[in-house]
Amino acid sequence: MTPVELSRTVLRALRQAVDAGELSVDVGRSLDRDLDRGLGRDPDAPVESGPLPVRVEKPRPGGRGDYATNIALQLARAAGRTPRQVAEVLSPRLAAEPGIAGVDITGPGFLNITLAGARDEALVREILERGSCYGHVHPDTGALAQIHVPREIRAVVIADSARRILRSQGVLVRVTCDDAPDPAWADVLGVRVDAHGRPPQPLPTLRPVPAEADGAEGPLRLGRDAARWALLHPAAHDHPRVTAEQGGDQHLVQRESNPLFRVQYAHARSRALIRNAADLGFTAAPGDTGLPLGTGTPLLDALATHPAVLASAARHRAPDRLARHLVVTADAFLAFQSAPHSAPHSAPHSAPHSAPQSAPCGAPHSAPHRAPQGPTRRADRGQILPMGDEKPSAAHRARLALAEAAGTVLAGGLSLLGISAPDHL
């Protein structure tokens, strides 16, 4: 959102407050004309042609957000209220506007505005800076936890993943079991316990619904990734599907109906985009994606809530919460990267691309399509990678950064579940 657009937004909030009777401002004909110009009601007098009716500027020392305005101080006398009271009327209306992440009131009544795009850029930057540690707690909190489980394969796998998640939250964890686990569980599933044997005093015991089969028909036949997912993805009180009769083989198929495949495919797709971008000579850089407001919001929301999901999964010893969140994140990323968007500044004469930017989930994909060279440049339709003879822009770098952030979160989450995040599928 530009300062011009933000000025119009502030004026719109003021107009709505006056119309709703929340403010009674005797602005006179001069300011009223400026309001009309700022809202674009007079096509012959665009706001860009003269001074902005509402001044917005970078916050001064002590301020917050991306922009600040003193409109409440200017109108307080005409409104018959204090500047802070005027600001308190305008603040919720501004906060509800698209493209605004939040509004703070500072000093006698300055409105400090945080733009959604700036918040999104900061989120992506934080994820890329922290990498697989995004959402983790550092340094250790000093808290201690013990997880005791019966000698049952699902209980041991859940305890192993819960240990990883608790460690990510700065907790030191000890896992114990009633008896020594089957060595094959460690060999195939990568689980471990710190001690085994009946405790001298009863301990709170983690007792999920057990897998109904073991041995040749049990989860080990699925291999590490599929077996751990089959045991971890359902809530502890739900029955896992591990045998062929239960539909356990569905954890192995490379189809959209398989949540594990979608999560791993989404990670592999994000890495493929990074490789393809390198072939085109550019890298990721957080910034303005140049996409319409609201584009990518489900993905950004999923990335933003990842730390809270980790904390909840640790608190409840519930890896299934993380597994389900990874599915939400993967689905949001696949929807974001596969559907072309109408970028706000696309050239009107450019022809639309004849094919989607990437293959649908589960289908093979190749390097970015390159159209024959010609005099006509393609419009930026919001793809992550430039198409045809289009040159990489700052918006492409920002979209690639969002894709890389999604892949980073997916890889980190899969690691906590003890599942691989392949770069190729």
Side-chain angles (χ1 to χ4, degrees):
M1 183 180 293
T2 67
V4 170
E5 294 168 333
L6 182 56
S7 177
R8 290 173 171 170
T9 300
V10 175
L11 288 170
R12 181 164 52 248
L14 175 59
R15 173 73 73 180
Q16 291 170 349
V18 172
D19 292 344
E22 298 172 359
L23 287 176
S24 178
V25 183
D26 183 14
V27 294
R29 293 184 179 180
S30 176
L31 182 54
D32 197 49
R33 178 170 173 242
D34 284 343
L35 287 171
D36 288 337
R37 287 180 58 207
L39 290 171
R41 294 175 180 173
D42 183 356
D44 296 326
V47 71
E48 292 86 347
S49 65
L52 297 181
V54 171
R55 181 179 178 82
V56 292
E57 58 186 3
K58 291 296 182 181
R60 297 177 183 180
R64 305 172 189 169
D66 301 297
Y67 290 97
T69 178
N70 64 349
I71 186 66
L73 282 75
Q74 293 177 349
L75 298 179
R77 176 173 295 182
R81 299 191 184 188
T82 66
R84 192 167 190 89
Q85 288 174 334
V86 175
E88 288 172 350
V89 170
L90 295 177
S91 176
R93 290 191 174 275
L94 275 174
E97 289 285 338
I100 293 181
V103 179
D104 294 304
I105 302 173
T106 59
F110 292 101
L111 289 164
N112 291 255
I113 302 168
T114 300
L115 302 182
R119 179 193 61 180
D120 298 342
E121 177 182 342
L123 171 65
V124 172
R125 192 177 302 278
E126 179 187 2
I127 294 172
L128 297 186
E129 288 175 353
R130 299 202 62 185
S132 60
C133 290
Y134 170 66
H136 293 202
V137 175
H138 294 293
D140 284 350
T141 63
L144 303 175
Q146 179 166 356
I147 303 176
H148 187 75
V149 294
R151 187 186 183 280
E152 191 276 322
I153 188 169
R154 189 186 186 200
V156 173
V157 169
I158 290 179
D160 181 76
S161 184
R163 176 217 299 271
R164 298 168 189 248
I165 297 172
L166 281 162
R167 283 298 298 131
S168 78
Q169 301 304 293
V171 180
L172 297 176
V173 187
R174 176 179 171 86
V175 175
T176 57
C177 185
D178 282 345
D179 203 350
D182 188 324
W185 299 355
D187 294 341
V188 178
L189 303 180
V191 298
R192 70 180 179 88
V193 298
D194 299 303
H196 59 84
R198 300 282 178 175
Q201 297 293 333
L203 290 174
T205 302
L206 183 65
R207 295 184 183 276
V209 173
E212 295 181 359
D214 204 347
E217 294 300 319
L220 295 182
R221 69 187 184 86
L222 299 175
R224 175 167 175 161
D225 285 356
R228 289 187 70 110
W229 182 268
L231 298 172
L232 293 171
H233 181 246
H237 57 266
D238 290 332
H239 291 272
R241 295 182 297 114
V242 294
T243 67
E245 292 75 14
Q246 294 169 339
D249 292 346
Q250 292 300 310
H251 300 299
L252 297 171
V253 300
Q254 293 193 349
R255 296 177 184 168
E256 292 186 31
S257 59
N258 179 4
L260 172 60
F261 173 70
R262 296 204 306 275
V263 173
Q264 291 184 317
Y265 176 82
H267 173 266
R269 183 63 186 142
S270 74
R271 297 310 174 206
L273 289 167
I274 295 171
R275 293 192 299 270
N276 290 342
D279 291 340
L280 295 175
F282 75 101
T283 57
D288 183 2
T289 62
L291 297 174
L293 293 175
T295 302
T297 297
L299 176 57
L300 289 162
D301 288 347
L303 298 179
T305 57
H306 183 70
V309 171
L310 290 183
S312 174
R315 185 168 58 255
H316 295 281
R317 315 305 196 250
D320 60 284
R321 298 188 181 206
L322 173 58
R324 291 195 298 273
H325 179 68
L326 293 181
V327 176
V328 171
T329 304
D331 289 345
F333 168 69
L334 292 172
F336 169 76
Q337 64 91 43
S338 63
H341 310 285
S342 296
H345 301 298
S346 297
H349 61 274
S350 299
H353 202 285
S354 59
Q357 183 263 333
S358 62
C361 181
H365 58 273
S366 58
H369 170 73
R370 294 188 178 271
Q373 297 292 322
T376 303
R377 285 187 70 85
R378 294 182 184 272
D380 177 7
R381 300 193 63 220
Q383 298 94 342
I384 295 176
L385 300 181
M387 309 300 292
D389 60 351
E390 185 182 4
K391 300 298 183 183
S393 66
H396 288 116
R397 293 182 176 87
R399 295 168 204 159
L400 183 64
L402 178 53
E404 184 176 351
T408 298
V409 168
L410 291 173
L414 286 170
S415 175
L416 293 177
L417 296 179
I419 297 172
S420 67
D423 287 347
H424 302 269
L425 272 182

